[in-house]
Each structure stands twice: as structure tokens, then as C-alpha cells.
Amino acid sequence: MHYSPGAPILRSYDLVNWDIIGHSVPTLNWGNKYSLIGGQAYVKGIYASWFNYNSHDGQWYWGGCIEYSTTYVYTAPAPQGP
């Protein structure tokens, strides 16, 4: 898929040097337009995403709005993913 993976997670210890440690959205499986089937090159994408740690359940949460209509929430025990 041309747009995958999406929403990279980066880590920095000094706010100057950054490393990609994972992706919040490993695959964009919301329809053929995200894999460019049919030649569509632009879709509305992921907006208003957020990333947070919940100390009560030890989970990392990522959420984002897809195409202005549906919000997805993913969880993982580490920021790098499951």
C-alpha cells in the first residue's frame, strides 16, 4: 500500500535527534482508494490524531479521525506497538 504505514511514532531524548520506533496505523485498510486501486492519488487522510499513555491500565492509546467521519482508536502495551 502506497500510504502505509501511517502515523509514525517518534522518540527523542533531547528534542533534536529523533528515531522512528513504530507506526500507529500499520495498514490503511479502509478501502481500495488507500491502495491507489482505480488511480485515485489523494484521499482525505488521518486528522486530529492523538497519542497518550494510561497509567491505570498500562496501555498506550492512539486515535485519529479518518476522512472526517470515523474515529479509530488503537491500543498497545508499548509505544512501539504490540
Side-chain angles (χ1 to χ4, degrees), residues 20-69:
I20 296 176
I21 60 171
H23 290 87
S24 300
V25 184
T27 60
L28 301 177
N29 55 358
W30 302 300
N32 290 338
K33 61 187 165 184
Y34 284 90
S35 62
L36 297 179
I37 293 173
Q40 183 170 342
Y42 177 77
V43 292
K44 296 173 186 170
I46 301 170
Y47 292 90
S49 63
W50 50 269
F51 187 60
N52 197 16
Y53 178 71
N54 184 334
S55 61
H56 296 291
D57 64 5
Q59 293 286 311
W60 289 87
Y61 288 79
W62 180 91
C65 182
I66 310 303
E67 296 188 7
Y68 307 115
S69 61

